[in-house]
Amino acid sequence: MGEQAPTTLGGIVSVLAAVLGGQRVLKEDERIHQDINNSFADALENCDAQPANGSVLIRPYNHQAVLSESARSLKPRHNILPDRRRRPDGMKRSPLIFHPAGVFFALAAMVAVILPWLWLLPLADPGQAHVRLGIFGFGGMAVSGYLLTAQRAWTGAEPPLPTLGLATLALGARMLALAEPEAVWLASLPLLVVALAILFPVMRARRWDKMPLALVPLGLVIAEGALVRHQIQAAALPLAMGALILAVGGRMIAAFLIEERRRRGLPQRPAARTWPGLAMMGFGVLSSGSIGTSALAITALWVLRTAWTGVGAWPANRMLCIAYATLAAGLLGIVAARVGMLPPLAQTHLLTMGAMGSMVVAVAARVSMRRVKDVGLMPLTRHWIALWLIFAATGARCLAEIATPHHALMTMAGIAWSAAWLLFLSAHLAALRQPAPFPLLSAERARSEPA
């Protein structure tokens, strides 16, 4: 193509916009291009999007950049609805509090702060309240924040209700569950609205490949009702959360590392599939005897192998891999509990406090991390301290099941856990009033980067 011919998509669109006498075409083009780019830019929000010819991922839209041949040959794999809320420049957006990752992660952290101290409240069944608030409150809000963030990238559509409205429903459900623990429907109705707000846009966009994840909040609503009615055992819930961490966390790490290697100009490595590890874990949980324990041990090694790929990665990805490695400790804890070497509550807290807690903080902290050129996301010092406090709290809580007297260790675990989430909140709450970064959970590209 000659030097006088338009060489950028921005140039072509600008000419058309001028001819039409308005900016409507330009804005529409930028929105469509941003929707396509959103399927590539954020590694968490787009684990499966690939260019049709297998070339490198597209960088953010830039009117001065040259559109690569790989972008021209892009063939969308799914129906993408326009994201009407994103600004045309794709960068300066509404405050973080209006985005799911902002408010839902904040609520999850607030729930985590009070979680160890429920035993001090005059509750009819503090044990069940602790389980419900930990798995369905803390874990459920974190999952909802992630899925609502990812859903907008999968479909390009806004949730049917405003983010703050959905967050209010989720918080109200948790308060109702504490006030009226036996009235399951009181907490289930608002949570059902949140679950359907995640599910319907995915169904409308026909993203059938994302349906298993989109159904998770609905599954949590059903599981909580079954727990209250004594139809399932509380011990099954940490195992289910462990399986979710294994599947989603494994894909997350692979996607983030692929994007990092692209940006560092390093050769790509084939991403490991998550289903073998998930299948092995399921086989180990359902099988008894040496066969089951062997399968769980192999799954733990598979998790460690995945986490090891983050050695030498940028700080945020390294933090994520460290957190993911704690799932291996949880799986080995199940093995130890089966052979009588560890009390059941100790292995439960290895999965909940250790694996779930550290993974939530490693993902949620990305929203408030510093964005540094050529280094990606840079965790704050308080993020690292929060992660290590969670590890310390997990260790103290497990020792409390072994050592006697255990009251001092229980108190230490509770203080360390709550302090970790207060540190997280000190950074996250300050970021809520700031414009939401783009991508939310990945580092911003330089605007001068060629396309």
Side-chain angles (χ1 to χ4, degrees):
M1 183 178 293
E3 294 180 355
Q4 302 303 320
T7 58
T8 68
L9 182 59
I12 296 173
V13 173
S14 297
V15 171
L16 292 175
V19 172
L20 293 174
Q23 295 299 316
R24 181 181 61 82
V25 174
L26 177 59
K27 291 180 180 179
E28 182 66 19
D29 172 77
E30 285 182 311
R31 184 166 65 245
I32 293 172
H33 190 98
Q34 187 61 42
D35 286 331
I36 295 173
N37 181 65
N38 193 40
S39 297
F40 295 96
D42 188 0
L44 172 62
E45 300 173 355
N46 66 354
C47 289
D48 66 346
Q50 293 289 338
N53 60 2
S55 59
V56 299
L57 302 181
I58 299 174
R59 297 179 176 91
Y61 186 68
N62 188 333
H63 280 291
Q64 307 303 322
V66 178
L67 185 64
S68 66
E69 288 300 322
S70 62
R72 288 197 181 99
S73 63
L74 180 68
K75 298 178 181 178
R77 292 171 51 196
H78 305 282
N79 297 327
I80 302 296
L81 303 178
D83 186 346
R84 303 185 184 278
R85 190 169 175 180
R86 186 174 295 111
R87 291 178 59 107
D89 60 10
M91 297 295 175
K92 189 176 181 181
R93 304 198 291 178
S94 56
L96 180 62
I97 193 172
F98 296 111
H99 291 260
V103 65
F104 273 91
F105 289 164
L107 289 177
M110 292 176 187
V111 168
V113 169
I114 66 173
L115 192 56
W117 315 110
L118 284 180
W119 307 95
L120 303 178
L121 300 178
L123 301 173
D125 189 349
Q128 186 184 91
H130 183 75
V131 171
R132 292 178 68 180
L133 194 62
I135 298 294
F136 306 108
F138 168 62
M141 286 179 177
V143 168
S144 296
Y146 160 64
L147 289 178
L148 283 166
T149 301
Q151 172 231 81
R152 295 171 68 183
W154 297 339
T155 67
E158 293 289 337
L161 291 176
T163 297
L164 290 180
L166 293 172
T168 302
L169 289 173
L171 180 60
R174 300 289 25 119
M175 296 175 67
L176 289 170
L178 287 175
E180 298 290 340
E182 296 301 323
V184 183
W185 62 273
L186 282 177
S188 298
L189 285 179
L191 292 175
L192 184 62
V193 174
V194 177
L196 294 180
I198 295 171
L199 181 61
F200 279 167
V202 177
M203 295 178 63
R204 183 184 175 194
R206 299 183 180 182
R207 290 301 308 265
W208 311 123
D209 58 320
K210 300 300 182 184
M211 284 296 291
L213 277 180
L215 285 167
V216 168
L218 184 59
L220 290 175
V221 174
I222 297 172
E224 185 170 11
L227 175 69
V228 175
R229 295 186 178 92
H230 306 287
Q231 295 171 342
I232 61 173
Q233 297 294 321
L237 299 175
L239 296 174
M241 295 303 290
L244 184 64
I245 292 170
L246 189 149
V248 178
R251 292 188 60 181
M252 196 185 306
I253 287 173
F256 277 134
L257 292 179
I258 287 173
E259 174 61 14
E260 177 183 328
R261 295 183 69 83
R262 181 193 71 79
R263 296 172 70 184
R264 294 172 68 176
L266 300 175
Q268 292 292 351
R269 298 171 180 170
R273 298 184 180 274
T274 57
W275 68 262
L278 192 61
M280 187 64 67
M281 178 181 175
F283 179 76
V285 168
L286 297 175
S287 302
S288 58
S290 59
I291 295 179
T293 55
S294 298
L296 288 171
I298 293 172
T299 307
L301 293 176
W302 186 92
V303 169
L304 290 175
R305 176 181 174 274
T306 301
W308 184 257
T309 59
V311 174
W314 282 342
N317 290 339
R318 189 163 64 248
M319 174 183 277
L320 188 65
C321 290
I322 292 172
Y324 189 68
T326 59
L327 178 59
L331 294 170
L332 292 176
I334 300 174
V335 173
R338 285 188 174 184
V339 298
M341 296 176 60
L342 198 67
L345 275 179
Q347 65 93 7
T348 294
H349 285 91
L350 281 173
L351 285 172
T352 53
M353 294 178 68
M356 189 169 73
S358 59
M359 279 297 291
V360 171
V361 79
V363 173
R366 300 175 78 94
V367 177
S368 56
M369 289 180 184
R370 291 185 291 117
R371 282 157 165 76
V372 180
K373 186 179 180 181
D374 299 328
V375 186
L377 295 179
M378 180 67 70
L380 304 177
T381 301
R382 69 191 82 173
H383 291 149
W384 283 112
I385 296 175
L387 181 66
W388 292 110
L389 280 174
I390 288 175
F391 292 158
T394 304
R397 183 62 185 84
C398 292
L399 283 175
E401 294 297 322
I402 302 172
T404 54
H406 64 277
H407 299 291
L409 288 170
M410 293 276 284
T411 302
M412 290 173 57
I415 292 173
W417 174 266
S418 296
W421 290 104
L422 287 172
L423 278 175
F424 166 83
L425 282 171
S426 69
H428 192 81
L429 293 180
L432 289 181
R433 63 179 180 269
Q434 303 297 326
F438 178 81
L440 269 172
L441 298 169
S442 184
E444 181 178 314
R445 274 83 170 152
R447 295 177 70 93
S448 60
E449 247 181 309

